[in-house]
Amino acid sequence: MSAASTQTRFLDTMLGRGLMLFAAMFVLVVVVGITQGAASLSLILVQATAFALIALGLNIQWGYGGLFNFAIMGFLMVGGASTVFLSYPVNPDFWNSDGPMMLGRALAAFVIGVALVMLARRADRIGIRGKWKTALVVLAWFAGYIIYRTQIDPAAAYIESTAGFVGGLGLHPMLGWAFGGLVSAVIAYFIGKISLGLRTDYLAIATIGISEILRALIKNMDWLTRGTMTVSPMPWPTPLPQALQAQGFSIPDSFVFARLSFLVVAVIVLAVAFVLVQRAYGAPWGRMMRAIRDNHISAGSMGKDVTGRQLELFIFGSVLMGIGGAILSTFTQIFDPSGFQPINHTFMLWVMVIVGGAGNNWGVVLGAFLIYIVWVISDPVAQLIFLNLSALGENLGWGAIPEISSRALQARVFVLGVVITLALRYAPRGLLPEVVRRG
Amino acid sequence: MDELIFFINRVLISGTVLGSIYALGAIGVTLIFGILRFAHFAHGDMMTLGAFISFLLATALAAAGIILPLPMGFVVLPVAMVITAILALGIDKGFYAPLRSRGAKPVTLLIASIGVTLMMQGLIRLVFGTSTQTMYVAGETKDIFRFDMAWAGGSRPISVTEPQLIMFVVTAILVLALHLFLTRSRLGKAMRAMSDNAPLAQVSGINTALVVRVTWIIAGALACVAGTMLALDVALMPDLAFNIVLPIFAAAIVGGLGHTYGAIVGGFLIAFAETLAVFNWTAVLRPLNGILPEGMALPANLALVPTEYKLTVAFVILVVTLLVRPTGIFKGASS
């Protein structure tokens, strides 16, 4: 065989393919910028950056470790709620009322409940075993729940009627992001601890159930998160458009510059996360994770602590999701628990990772930007198609299509479904597949 | 006596209604898992799709000027079931069969079913809009039957609506028919064999392709019934599906995935757990106020869980089941 025939063309190599796809995406961004204007484009880019960060988190879990996490929406909400708590201005009405004391009592009741359960779980030490122990544990859970409810219900009602909600601590938004990551890590630890023993489908269903539980909690804990009444405006880490306007920028310019400076901050966070995640992939740690993913039984027999390592992955991934959720909430300046939907905040990220290429960080970032842009532009494109169809229908005497704008919005979901089914069928490993080194 | 009537109206009847819907959906989920070994996420949307097909047929009939004593949405049910079953077959052929023949993992099929969910949700909303519609086309009304309980000393009646009564009857008939099919017919036995042990069933000469087709037909038809019934009982809306697909999975898992009777038991279990958890016990225990000492009066609301957390009950049961006994009550299959 001659040397020429073994040599692959540049565009067939991974690097060439990547460069080509990123160039194509750049063209798409330019087209969106020309048609939608700079203000919209900067908005799309900031949100796409946050989604890329979240997608990197999912890539750690699914791409590196093969873990099924359908609780992404839950972590985004946790990140958003945490950043509200840390960076929203202080609410003096709450701190000057009896609220903090009542919350303290509720916390004490919670601790008592946890202690009861812990004690019941150790009942075998005093000779209570088997069914009796199970009954005791269930009873302890029930008693703990009742004790907690007797304290938290009046506290919640009191805070909601007097101060509205607890408000925030008024710290810098970036600290809020970090706190979002931290709280996500803690919650991920517990979720992982209880559910990582489950396999594939079961893990998916369990995590989606947990995500819905988190949503129900955040949506209904009005005293903490203000629930459906929403919290706004959230402070930005960079100057807001209004501040720039005060300095003499014109209104359109102020939006573009404010969003661009936010974009710079978000891109720095993404870049730092990317470098860390990429290095971890190449390191022995990443190799071990892939070994566990590809065959957890043999990895376990080689002495790797499979569940422990998977818990690590789950926590690391969730931290990125929490930070991403915090960035999204900060950027939109509103924390609205009703705005979180599994379609937009869980399934879309799965589409990003699968279409981009699970296991390949470059692919995942590409997928995140690509899918987010497709998601955003499906609406105006569908609207355009509908308007033309409607005009055609009117000309033919069929009448116009009603509610075009609300219907066109639904085209996003449809397009997302089409993209993922096509990708699974024709490019199951993604646009930029994971590079498997052999030998 | 009034307290008992209140309990019957609020818990027994609504629990049975919800249980029937969950059970019909969970049977489909469990059959698909038993035969094809993946969690079919798009099942909720198949229910919504079935409901919208019934809606279309009912509207067409009403437009044709046909008026019957029964709700139109119910009259068209057999036809709607056939159409939904055909669509279910089409979805399998278009989206799942190619992946299966490539030998894709169950995980891939699960993600594909999420893609199908998204497509169906998008399409339904594109076509029918996002607003809530009523299944009672042509000005029909929802009849309410009131059983006077004066003979037993009750001042309020036990009330059941017409769709609820129809639902009890239809669910009973369908479950019985399914039971007979699974235990008496050759094909039903083949399905059970394949659900128990797929490789063994294949080597003993069972027509796998046929079993898969029958599975989709049954699952699609039952999903159509459940969706239509729910729409008749409450209202027809495009997000009918997602609110209900997780309780249905909970029901199927609690019963043991792959186990048909488990799905029925699980459906009623989840439904009654939900209803009982948000039920305000004060309403029933109020007579105790006369006995209890001063200062120990019952609070106005003695529900175990606030109403906003109703759906959470199903998820908590789901998660606890998965942790304590992942194979469910009836030892279901695993992927």
Side-chain angles (χ1 to χ4, degrees):
Chain A
M1 206 179 271
S2 71
S5 65
T6 52
Q7 202 175 19
T8 47
R9 282 183 306 142
F10 175 67
L11 282 184
D12 289 338
T13 63
M14 204 49 151
L15 183 67
R17 199 183 154 106
L19 285 176
M20 186 181 70
L21 285 167
F22 269 95
M25 195 186 72
F26 184 73
V27 172
L28 188 64
V29 167
V30 171
V31 170
V32 172
I34 292 168
T35 52
Q36 307 264 311
S40 293
L41 180 69
S42 51
L43 180 109
I44 293 171
L45 284 180
V46 175
Q47 281 172 334
T49 310
F51 276 112
L53 188 68
I54 301 160
L56 275 184
L58 180 60
N59 192 35
I60 297 182
Q61 296 175 341
W62 167 242
Y64 290 15
L67 293 178
F68 246 75
N69 179 10
F70 275 91
I72 303 171
M73 180 189 75
F75 287 112
L76 299 193
M77 291 185 85
V78 166
S82 312
T83 194
V84 167
F85 180 69
L86 219 69
S87 54
Y88 195 74
V90 177
N91 180 3
D93 287 351
F94 165 72
W95 293 104
N96 295 331
S97 70
D98 288 341
M101 216 236 325
M102 292 177 87
L103 277 186
R105 277 213 299 271
L107 186 68
F110 183 77
V111 173
I112 292 173
V114 172
L116 272 179
V117 174
M118 302 282 263
L119 283 177
R121 288 174 63 115
R122 293 188 165 201
D124 46 87
R125 298 248 177 122
I126 53 166
I128 301 173
R129 289 199 174 80
K131 279 193 176 145
W132 288 104
K133 188 189 157 190
T134 315
L136 197 65
V137 171
V138 172
L139 199 68
W141 271 100
F142 189 70
Y145 175 71
I146 299 285
I147 293 172
Y148 176 64
R149 279 285 304 277
T150 58
Q151 294 304 315
I152 193 70
D153 283 0
Y158 174 79
I159 295 169
E160 279 161 31
S161 63
T162 55
F165 82 124
V166 297
L169 299 178
L171 297 173
H172 193 268
M174 302 277 282
L175 279 177
W177 299 356
F179 187 62
L182 185 73
V183 177
S184 293
V186 173
I187 290 179
Y189 173 79
F190 288 107
I191 295 181
K193 214 46 184 165
I194 57 177
S195 59
L196 281 182
L198 300 167
R199 279 162 301 153
T200 53
D201 302 39
Y202 286 98
L203 183 58
I205 295 165
T207 46
I208 206 165
I210 290 170
S211 162
E212 291 296 319
I213 293 175
L214 281 175
R215 171 159 73 165
L217 286 174
I218 293 176
K219 205 168 166 179
N220 292 306
M221 289 207 295
D222 284 13
W223 58 274
L224 181 64
T225 62
R226 225 160 168 227
T228 42
M229 306 220 289
T230 73
V231 184
S232 73
M234 304 260 284
W236 270 24
T238 50
L240 278 165
Q242 289 80 353
L244 291 179
Q245 282 162 33
Q247 284 175 27
F249 280 86
S250 72
I251 290 176
D253 279 356
S254 73
F255 275 93
V256 174
F257 280 107
R259 283 169 182 170
L260 280 182
S261 50
F262 195 110
L263 180 65
V264 170
V265 177
V267 167
I268 291 171
V269 175
L270 176 67
V272 170
F274 186 90
V275 170
L276 291 176
V277 171
Q278 185 73 0
R279 282 187 63 113
Y281 182 83
W285 183 84
R287 206 163 53 223
M288 172 175 62
M289 293 307 173
R290 294 195 294 283
I292 292 175
R293 174 193 68 189
D294 293 339
N295 192 339
H296 66 94
I297 295 167
S298 75
S301 68
M302 305 279 250
K304 306 290 179 211
D305 173 12
V306 173
T307 14
R309 295 302 176 174
Q310 287 185 335
L311 189 61
E312 260 175 31
L313 286 176
F314 197 73
I315 292 174
F316 288 160
S318 304
V319 168
L320 293 188
M321 290 173 188
I323 297 176
I327 295 179
L328 279 179
S329 298
T330 307
F331 179 66
T332 48
Q333 285 202 287
I334 181 166
F335 179 68
D336 175 15
S338 321
F340 286 86
Q341 294 294 331
I343 291 180
N344 309 7
H345 296 102
T346 296
F347 297 157
M348 185 162 78
L349 284 140
W350 271 90
V351 179
M352 287 170 176
V353 169
I354 301 230
V355 169
N360 184 332
N361 291 316
W362 289 105
V364 165
V365 170
L366 174 83
F369 275 84
L370 198 66
I371 295 296
Y372 192 71
I373 291 172
V374 167
W375 166 262
V376 172
I377 62 172
S378 332
D379 174 23
V381 170
Q383 205 151 347
L384 201 68
I385 295 173
F386 267 123
L387 281 174
N388 282 322
L389 276 181
S390 183
L392 186 74
E394 266 181 301
N395 286 339
L396 293 174
W398 294 343
I401 301 174
E403 307 169 40
I404 286 183
S405 56
S406 84
R407 275 167 208 246
L409 204 58
Q410 305 304 326
R412 292 172 161 192
V413 180
F414 177 70
V415 170
L416 208 58
V418 172
V419 169
I420 181 86
T421 41
L422 287 180
L424 284 176
R425 182 133 175 215
Y426 298 107
R429 299 185 55 227
L431 291 173
L432 284 178
E434 185 181 6
V435 186
V436 184
R437 287 204 187 81
R438 289 203 175 77
Chain B
M1 193 60 210
D2 278 347
E3 284 77 22
L4 184 65
I5 293 170
F6 186 74
F7 185 80
I8 292 175
N9 279 341
R10 279 297 170 83
V11 174
L12 273 188
I13 293 176
S14 49
T16 316
V17 169
L18 205 57
S20 309
I21 292 164
Y22 286 175
L24 289 175
I27 292 172
V29 166
T30 234
L31 279 178
I32 295 173
F33 192 90
I35 305 291
L36 299 160
R37 304 276 144 178
F38 78 102
H40 184 233
F41 231 86
H43 209 73
D45 287 281
M46 213 131 95
M47 292 169 65
T48 320
L49 186 71
F52 271 100
I53 290 170
S54 302
F55 173 71
L56 275 187
L57 291 173
T59 323
L61 270 192
I66 301 170
I67 302 293
L68 292 166
L70 286 170
M72 213 58 98
F74 170 71
V75 174
V76 298
L77 200 53
V79 186
M81 281 165 76
V82 172
I83 297 176
T84 318
I86 293 172
L87 287 175
L89 282 174
I91 289 170
D92 180 56
K93 195 137 192 82
F95 299 105
Y96 305 132
L99 294 179
R100 270 206 306 279
S101 63
R102 199 181 70 201
K105 285 189 246 164
V107 169
T108 315
L109 283 163
L110 172 66
I111 299 172
S113 78
I114 285 174
V116 172
T117 304
L118 298 177
M119 283 170 67
M120 279 161 83
Q121 260 184 38
L123 263 188
I124 288 173
R125 287 174 200 202
L126 270 174
V127 176
F128 296 99
T130 46
S131 50
T132 305
Q133 323 230 19
T134 170
M135 277 295 249
Y136 296 89
V137 288
E140 294 169 313
T141 48
K142 202 191 274 188
D143 292 332
I144 298 175
F145 301 109
R146 292 193 176 81
F147 298 100
D148 189 29
M149 297 303 284
W151 55 272
S155 61
R156 273 181 279 172
I158 292 181
S159 47
V160 186
T161 64
E162 192 182 6
Q164 289 174 338
L165 269 187
I166 295 175
M167 183 184 318
F168 299 150
V169 177
V170 170
T171 311
I173 293 174
L174 285 176
V175 167
L176 191 69
L178 186 71
H179 168 73
L180 290 177
F181 170 74
L182 288 176
T183 49
R184 303 287 159 84
S185 76
R186 223 183 129 70
L187 200 57
K189 286 178 189 165
M191 276 180 72
R192 284 196 302 159
M194 210 170 140
S195 181
D196 280 345
N197 190 336
L200 186 64
Q202 250 159 328
V203 292
S204 46
I206 284 173
N207 184 346
T208 323
L210 182 66
V211 169
V212 168
R213 276 204 293 277
V214 173
T215 306
W216 282 109
I217 290 172
I218 295 177
L222 291 185
C224 173
V225 178
T228 309
M229 291 296 184
L230 186 63
L232 276 171
D233 189 35
V234 193
L236 181 61
M237 45 194 172
D239 43 5
L240 200 64
F242 207 82
N243 300 331
I244 198 169
V245 69
L246 284 171
I248 282 175
F249 267 102
I253 287 174
V254 168
L257 273 177
H259 204 293
T260 323
Y261 305 113
I264 300 166
V265 175
F268 283 97
L269 202 87
I270 297 277
F272 275 102
E274 276 185 14
T275 339
L276 281 174
V278 297
F279 180 66
N280 184 1
W281 290 95
T282 303
V284 178
L285 300 174
R286 198 163 285 131
L288 281 181
N289 268 346
I291 311 167
L292 286 172
E294 199 73 19
M296 280 261 301
L298 292 165
N301 190 350
L302 206 65
L304 206 53
V305 173
T307 321
E308 310 93 83
Y309 294 106
K310 187 180 178 190
L311 273 179
T312 317
V313 175
F315 307 144
V316 171
I317 296 177
L318 166 74
V319 173
V320 171
T321 315
L322 280 172
L323 300 176
V324 179
R325 198 184 165 98
T327 46
I329 304 172
F330 288 88
K331 289 260 167 189
S334 66
S335 61

